[in-house]
Amino acid sequence: MKPAAAGVAFIAMATVPLSAPGTGPRAGAGAPLVIAHRGASRYAPENTLAAVDAAYDRGLTWVENDVQRTKDGQLVVLHDTTLERTTDVEKIFPGRAPWRVRDFTAAEISRLDAGSWFGPRFAGERVPTLADYLRRLDHNDQRLLLEIKSPKSYPGIEAGVVRELRRRGWLDRAHVRSRLVVQSFCVKCVKAVHGLVPQVRTGILGSPRLAELARYARFADEINPRMSALSSRWIKAVHRLRGPHGRPLEVYAWGVGKNTGVREARARGIEGVIT
Ligand code: G3P
Ligand code: CA
């Protein structure tokens, strides 16, 4: 486990208030919040514990990840629905193409090296289970923007994610108030999460049409689009709506570098950037 690096903060976090009780990731006015996309994935292999720590070392409290399910029903943190880009699966299991996450057990996935592709210093880094990941965030006192990735490939994953969050203590009052948001590109999935745990903040990824926003505001607190898809009219329409917890919907954009992202987020008046 890495040592604490208190006081190391070179990004916006120094000026951004952490979540206040009862609020989302960003509380009140100030600089846009920076959320570490797949962890600090520029500095360490994405979606690994090393990327969580790299975010911590850079003063980033909020971390985004991607959650999927193995053949034997375990939740793991990985972006692609196949394993070959970010692990050595082709070497370890050569006959198992197309190496889909859902075709491998958790024990098999735990054998894979998820760090060497990024750099030799990360050799031996593993694909974390969601449980490992939550434990590390708790240890570092960090917060999680959890993306349920490709839920159509994993029927019922919403209930599994909720079960794991509960088992690991992430549905207690403190976590729910200011340490957790669950998001997905799949609107049905976000609605299902809200149905299971209405107290948890949720986000819809993408840029839904204006006509759809009012319906989505019944079960989503955030709408999180690609930065290039933003328009002033759309942002205003989102901000005018109140989400299921009675507060204006928030917008966290992605698909842009940190410095440009922070500048654009500030200029556009959105709450933050996932970068
Ligand atoms: O959180 C925004 C972002 O993660 C969505 O895109 O493909 O990186 O999961 P992707
Ligand atoms: Ca993601």
Side-chain angles (χ1 to χ4, degrees):
M1 198 72 76
K2 62 182 289 307
V8 181
F10 74 81
I11 303 188
M13 295 307 294
T15 53
V16 177
L18 300 181
S19 299
T23 70
R26 179 177 165 202
L33 179 71
V34 176
I35 300 172
H37 187 217
R38 308 181 197 171
S41 50
R42 183 169 173 184
Y43 303 96
E46 63 182 56
N47 278 325
T48 62
L49 299 186
V52 172
D53 290 343
Y56 177 81
D57 290 342
R58 287 160 179 82
L60 295 172
T61 298
W62 279 91
V63 172
E64 188 260 5
N65 74 1
D66 302 283
V67 173
Q68 301 185 57
R69 195 173 64 200
T70 63
K71 187 177 177 182
D72 54 341
Q74 301 302 306
L75 296 171
V76 289
V77 179
L78 195 89
H79 178 270
D80 299 4
T81 52
T82 59
L83 291 152
E84 79 277 14
R85 182 177 63 87
T86 56
T87 76
D88 60 350
V89 70
E90 288 167 282
K91 189 172 108 199
I92 306 296
F93 297 104
R96 301 272 296 271
W99 300 291
R100 282 188 293 247
V101 175
R102 70 177 192 214
D103 295 337
F104 285 78
T105 64
E108 288 170 338
I109 289 177
S110 75
R111 291 175 53 195
L112 304 178
D113 178 344
S116 290
W117 70 275
F118 191 85
R121 135 174 126 83
F122 296 101
E125 198 64 36
R126 299 292 153 193
V127 174
T129 62
L130 179 58
D132 293 338
Y133 201 93
L134 296 173
R135 204 173 297 119
R136 182 61 60 93
L137 291 172
D138 270 333
H139 174 266
N140 292 352
D141 201 17
Q142 285 169 292
R143 299 158 192 232
L144 177 61
L145 175 57
L146 184 161
E147 180 182 344
I148 301 182
K149 181 59 83 189
S150 301
K152 282 190 188 122
S153 306
Y154 309 107
I157 190 173
E158 299 87 352
V161 167
V162 167
R163 219 170 15 248
E164 191 70 336
L165 288 169
R166 179 167 289 121
R167 193 180 294 144
R168 307 293 160 191
W170 275 68
L171 293 183
D172 68 7
R173 204 174 155 81
H175 285 84
V176 165
R177 280 167 90 185
S178 57
R179 301 174 65 95
L180 174 68
V181 176
V182 177
Q183 66 172 359
S184 182
F185 281 102
C186 165
V187 173
K188 260 173 76 178
C189 166
V190 174
K191 193 174 177 187
V193 170
H194 178 72
L196 291 165
V197 273
Q199 70 274 29
V200 169
R201 289 179 57 87
T202 57
I204 291 173
L205 280 160
S207 35
R209 288 181 293 115
L210 295 179
E212 294 168 327
L213 290 173
R215 183 167 72 82
Y216 294 172
R218 293 187 203 142
F219 51 86
D221 304 86
E222 304 176 359
I223 310 286
N224 298 338
R226 188 180 277 284
M227 185 70 90
S228 59
L230 287 175
S231 73
S232 302
R233 182 159 169 255
W234 188 90
I235 295 166
K236 273 193 198 126
V238 174
H239 281 160
R240 262 198 301 271
L241 291 164
R242 286 184 179 268
H245 301 103
R247 281 180 292 280
L249 294 192
E250 297 186 344
V251 177
Y252 297 85
W254 47 276
V256 67
K258 176 176 68 68
N259 293 334
T260 312
V262 168
R263 250 194 327 272
E264 277 200 41
R266 188 182 284 115
R268 292 212 171 260
I270 62 170
E271 284 67 28
V273 62
I274 306 162
T275 185

